[in-house]
Amino acid sequence: MKSKGFTLIELVVVIVILGILAVTAAPRFLNAQRDARIAALNGFKGAFYAADSIVMSKAMTAGIESVMYDTEIPHTDIYVRQGVMTLSAKNIAAAMETDGFILTDRGTTDMPSVIVTFDNNEINNGLPRERCALIISRGVTTASNPKSLLPLKIFFEDKEC
């Protein structure tokens, strides 16, 4: 009489093959998550550049692009100073969509910076727990301390993405 089913050897071979596939696929899956986080932060970087350009266009239209102190663009809750968008977490959130990200102010009055991390990343002592972040910084000047404006710097820290 012929039985309808798999032998124990056939089942073991299938399990071994599935195990081999799982071992080779797992690292690729983990790298895909890392790549997705890096891509999301790079997308934020591109959106920030676009928002910065649009804000400055609005400031030029309002005639306030060269002010020496933080000045609000009328009816926007967005501030500019000396031809650039004021760099603060609140100002960036007013200028663009930041859902899914945490923006943390850091730096000094002369060299403000904002750290951009994912919303599931804890911030301890002003620094992200995981080192997967964008750090946006720009030097500023004031009427009492005029100096040349330092360019916008955005760098990506991906030690633990």
Side-chain angles (χ1 to χ4, degrees):
M1 182 177 206
K2 241 181 171 178
S3 70
K4 295 180 181 179
F6 297 105
T7 65
L8 183 61
I9 300 290
E10 291 170 328
L11 290 173
V12 168
V13 168
V14 168
I15 290 171
V16 167
I17 290 171
L18 289 175
I20 290 170
L21 288 174
V23 166
T24 58
R28 291 177 189 239
F29 173 72
L30 294 174
N31 282 341
Q33 289 179 344
R34 180 180 188 276
D35 291 343
R37 288 191 289 267
I38 291 171
L41 288 172
N42 282 329
F44 187 95
K45 179 180 175 180
F48 177 80
Y49 280 125
D52 194 32
S53 295
I54 292 168
V55 165
M56 290 320 302
S57 296
K58 288 184 176 210
M60 289 168 69
T61 302
I64 58 170
E65 71 274 8
S66 298
V67 295
M68 291 300 290
Y69 297 101
D70 288 350
T71 303
E72 180 184 2
I73 298 172
H75 315 294
T76 63
D77 292 332
I78 301 171
Y79 291 82
V80 295
R81 179 196 306 184
Q82 199 181 7
V84 295
M85 180 170 69
T86 301
L87 193 58
S88 71
K90 182 179 176 185
N91 209 38
I92 293 172
M96 60 185 283
E97 185 64 42
T98 59
D99 287 347
F101 297 98
I102 294 175
L103 281 67
T104 307
D105 286 319
R106 189 138 166 92
T108 64
T109 306
D110 290 340
M111 183 64 77
S113 62
V114 175
I115 298 175
V116 180
T117 58
F118 293 102
D119 62 3
N120 61 351
N121 194 353
E122 297 174 16
I123 303 294
N124 294 322
N125 297 325
L127 294 172
R129 178 177 53 87
E130 293 179 20
R131 302 302 232 161
C132 185
L134 278 180
I135 301 172
I136 305 169
S137 64
R138 177 186 291 153
V140 296
T141 188
T142 61
S144 61
N145 185 19
K147 59 187 172 189
S148 58
L149 189 70
L150 295 175
L152 177 69
K153 292 183 181 178
I154 300 180
F155 65 94
F156 181 63
E157 190 170 315
D158 66 343
K159 292 178 185 168
E160 297 178 16
C161 267

